Amino acid sequence: MPEANVPLLAMPSGSILQFLLMTVPLLCVYLYFLYLAHERPSIADPSNPRYADDRIRLTDILYVYLATLLPFGCLVVYMLWFVPMRRGLSARYEKDGIVVLGDVKYEESYHDQGGSRTTTATTTTTMRAAVGDSLLRLRGWVMNGFALRNNYGHVVYDLGRVANHPACDYEERRRRGGGGGQPQLAGIVTKRVRVYHRYPRERISVLVLPKYPYSGQPKADLEADWASFAKYVGLPSRVGGEGEDDDIDDDIDDDGSDGNAILRRRDRGRGVLAVAIFWVCFLVLASYYVVDRIRVVDDAYVDEDAETARLAFWIVVGGVFPAVSILGNWIRWKFYERWMLHGGTKEKRPKASKNGSSRGNGDENEDGVGSYIQMS
């Protein structure tokens, strides 16, 4: 059986069910707001006993709907545009990347939060130190939960190896462009990267795009990322080649198998997109309905203004909503692209000692230039 171009088994991740369950309570609250807006005209009469009761202003409900519309709109644009762009950039490493040797530095951010303490032999001091260490570790867990620091490590590789690869014409392009006659690719690059395998590694394959020497990414982690692009989870009887997912679609039986292996659809991204689109449609329609209810009760309440509500609706839906969702994702993409292709810091390569050894990252050839691995 031919080997697959990319793995078909992705790393563990969240599910559409989790996202759906997180938004259901919010939907219940917003449906209650919609019920209040529907019932408000029936009590908008000074002679009604419920007229003087405490109430939630319809204008406030409108503002809540419009404010919630922005993050869900950003999520829709993110899923429709940003994710395909990110996947396309990641796939370029598989198509055009060259392989060099490098290391991955990784450390769980909450493991050493407590640090080392000098304690006396008394039980009280020991207990205080233990409690202090536990609180610091707990803070590390909480901080990692918000910042996801443990999803990132650092890849270290030698720019000389990139320059020594036949596919890399970076220095030649710099000379043609007036960048100087001296080679520019020298030194050790340390770059923050997304990791799926959370442990330090040495002498591993690092994929680098020849046109962007600072674009190094650990190959094993990129393969895990490519796996998340697959439409199905599982290994079919025939794997490999372009259009693989399309071929699998034709071979799937009604029971979800191709006769030799069970294939499960990976609908997580599509499901999240469907939920986000539902929320955008619901919030736009609900906001428009609330604007209409404000128009009906405008004369009965001095704190409701139909003209202001209508103006706020069209400004947000027609201007702020597309501007924030599209421009925000575009800015985020530019930051992400720069981080992937140009991020990292460069240090000078340690000089070789008198006995000929050096503390550089990996092996060198006789000329002191880093070697490379020809990608098969």
Side-chain angles (χ1 to χ4, degrees):
M1 181 178 66
E3 295 183 356
N5 291 335
V6 296
L8 291 180
L9 297 178
M11 306 298 288
S13 184
S15 66
I16 175 59
L17 181 61
Q18 293 173 338
F19 180 69
L20 188 61
L21 292 178
M22 290 173 59
T23 58
V24 165
L26 185 64
L27 178 62
C28 294
V29 174
Y30 282 14
L31 288 175
Y32 173 70
F33 288 164
L34 205 59
Y35 168 77
L36 294 180
H38 175 73
E39 293 294 320
R40 188 60 51 84
S42 63
I43 63 174
D45 185 356
S47 61
N48 192 306
R50 299 172 55 192
Y51 177 79
D53 292 347
D54 293 336
R55 58 184 174 83
I56 301 176
R57 289 198 317 152
L58 296 184
T59 303
D60 294 335
I61 295 177
L62 174 65
Y63 291 160
V64 170
Y65 282 162
L66 294 178
T68 311
L69 177 64
L70 297 180
F72 279 105
C74 290
L75 179 59
V76 169
V77 177
Y78 174 83
M79 297 297 297
L80 289 176
W81 180 76
F82 186 96
V83 170
M85 292 287 288
R86 187 190 72 82
R87 291 181 176 181
L89 177 58
S90 181
R92 286 174 58 186
Y93 283 85
E94 181 192 13
K95 180 181 179 181
D96 303 326
I98 60 177
V99 180
V100 299
L101 289 179
D103 300 336
V104 172
K105 296 180 179 179
Y106 180 81
E107 183 178 358
E108 297 280 1
S109 62
Y110 43 76
H111 276 182
D112 297 325
Q113 293 291 328
S116 59
R117 296 174 180 267
T118 303
T119 60
T120 63
T122 62
T123 305
T124 303
T125 306
T126 304
M127 291 181 61
R128 288 178 179 175
V131 171
D133 288 345
S134 299
L135 291 177
L136 288 174
R137 287 192 175 90
L138 178 61
R139 186 187 67 175
W141 278 96
V142 174
M143 292 297 295
N144 178 65
F146 283 101
L148 300 178
R149 290 181 297 180
N150 287 339
N151 289 344
Y152 297 89
H154 291 84
V155 64
V156 182
Y157 61 95
D158 189 355
L159 280 176
R161 292 175 174 168
V162 181
N164 196 37
H165 197 285
C168 181
D169 60 347
Y170 178 81
E171 296 172 358
E172 182 180 352
R173 287 188 290 109
R174 282 187 60 89
R175 286 193 290 268
R176 289 200 303 263
Q182 297 297 325
Q184 300 295 321
L185 294 183
I188 304 298
V189 172
T190 301
K191 179 183 178 70
R192 190 168 185 256
V193 294
R194 175 73 163 87
V195 294
Y196 291 85
H197 305 281
R198 300 182 180 182
Y199 52 88
R201 289 160 277 167
E202 295 182 354
R203 297 182 59 79
I204 54 101
S205 297
V206 177
L207 284 176
V208 183
L209 295 177
K211 293 184 179 180
Y212 305 97
Y214 292 86
S215 62
Q217 299 286 326
K219 183 180 179 182
D221 299 286
L222 278 177
E223 288 175 342
D225 191 40
W226 298 335
S228 65
F229 304 165
K231 185 185 299 184
Y232 297 97
V233 178
L235 291 175
S237 57
R238 297 181 301 279
V239 184
E242 297 182 358
E244 175 184 322
D245 285 340
D246 296 334
D247 295 337
I248 293 176
D249 281 330
D250 298 334
D251 297 338
I252 296 292
D253 297 333
D254 294 336
D255 60 354
S257 67
D258 70 341
N260 294 318
I262 299 298
L263 297 174
R264 298 179 180 178
R265 284 187 176 272
R266 183 191 305 279
D267 291 330
R268 184 170 59 245
R270 187 182 304 175
V272 171
L273 177 61
V275 173
I277 291 177
F278 164 79
W279 268 99
V280 169
C281 296
F282 168 77
L283 291 170
V284 171
L285 295 176
S287 299
Y288 185 81
Y289 181 75
V290 172
V291 170
D292 181 71
R293 296 295 90 185
I294 294 176
R295 178 188 60 81
V296 174
V297 302
D298 188 13
D299 296 333
Y301 296 102
V302 295
D303 56 354
E304 304 283 11
D305 187 352
E307 188 63 29
T308 301
R310 187 182 304 108
L311 183 63
F313 173 81
W314 287 114
I315 288 178
V316 173
V317 174
V320 177
F321 169 64
V324 171
S325 57
I326 296 176
L327 183 61
N329 276 283
W330 182 82
I331 294 175
R332 182 179 181 182
W333 165 252
K334 287 302 179 181
F335 276 104
Y336 178 82
E337 185 181 41
R338 179 176 178 81
W339 174 65
M340 286 284 291
L341 301 180
H342 306 287
T345 58
K346 183 177 73 171
E347 299 177 358
K348 292 184 178 180
R349 184 178 180 84
K351 295 182 179 180
S353 59
K354 293 182 180 180
N355 59 7
S357 63
S358 67
R359 293 181 297 174
N361 183 13
D363 299 331
E364 296 179 345
N365 58 22
E366 295 178 355
D367 298 329
V369 180
S371 61
Y372 65 89
I373 302 176
Q374 182 65 45
M375 189 174 182
S376 57

